[in-house]
Amino acid sequence: MRLLFPSLLCRGSLLNLVAAFAGLSLPAAHAAESGQSAGAAPAVIQLEAETGRLAGGVGVANSGEGFSGTGYVTGFKADADRLTLNFTARAGLYNFTVRFRSPVKGFLYEVNGLTFSGRFVDSKGAFAEQRFGKVELRDGDNTIAIF
């Protein structure tokens, strides 16, 4: 799954729309910022949504095409619906990109305890990737949640 960041969260009537998350990708923003030597290939952290911890009414599905891994997480309809991914990383700034399938929908995401809001564009029924800016990861254990 790839990780992303943006703007305003819009709940309410959008709460009934379903988003499906396939994966998050965290490529290092710059070699120097991620502690890598010049000329080194940037680190990419690829997280698959279906391997995360699921809460509320979300579940794993694998119908259709365009997702990465073995499936995707779907069913984000209520405030308690949540996907949490734990992983290790080297300290640095990483681009946050999410692979998803959704109509226009607001969401919240959390990176190591800091909460942000984002909004997916309409992917028109297909899986698409959207970039949400940069996140700072710490050396060692990190957590990203989408809800």
Side-chain angles (χ1 to χ4, degrees):
M1 175 189 276
R2 295 194 172 199
L3 306 181
L4 311 171
F5 294 71
S7 51
L8 303 172
L9 173 70
C10 184
R11 291 260 181 194
S13 64
L14 292 180
L15 199 58
N16 295 323
L17 300 177
V18 175
F21 300 101
L24 305 174
S25 171
L26 295 163
H30 300 288
E33 294 170 351
S34 63
Q36 297 174 353
S37 61
V44 175
I45 301 168
Q46 182 86 17
L47 305 171
E48 295 297 335
E50 68 276 12
T51 65
R53 189 172 68 244
L54 308 179
V58 298
V60 175
N62 61 7
S63 63
E65 298 178 359
F67 57 87
S68 58
T70 59
Y72 53 91
V73 175
T74 188
F76 290 85
K77 297 178 184 177
D79 288 343
D81 298 338
R82 183 180 189 102
L83 162 66
T84 303
L85 295 152
N86 298 304
F87 60 98
T88 58
R90 291 182 60 187
L93 288 177
Y94 290 77
N95 294 314
F96 181 57
T97 304
V98 177
R99 184 161 186 77
F100 70 100
R101 181 174 68 197
S102 177
V104 173
K105 180 181 175 92
F107 69 100
L108 294 174
Y109 62 95
E110 187 176 85
V111 179
N112 295 326
L114 297 174
T115 303
F116 305 90
S117 61
R119 185 172 179 210
F120 289 117
V121 298
D122 186 350
S123 69
K124 304 192 183 321
F127 279 93
E129 290 184 2
Q130 186 172 335
R131 185 173 168 199
F132 288 98
K134 295 179 180 165
V135 294
E136 185 173 2
L137 300 180
R138 57 188 174 217
D139 200 35
D141 295 337
N142 289 271
T143 301
I144 293 178
I146 295 177
F147 48 103

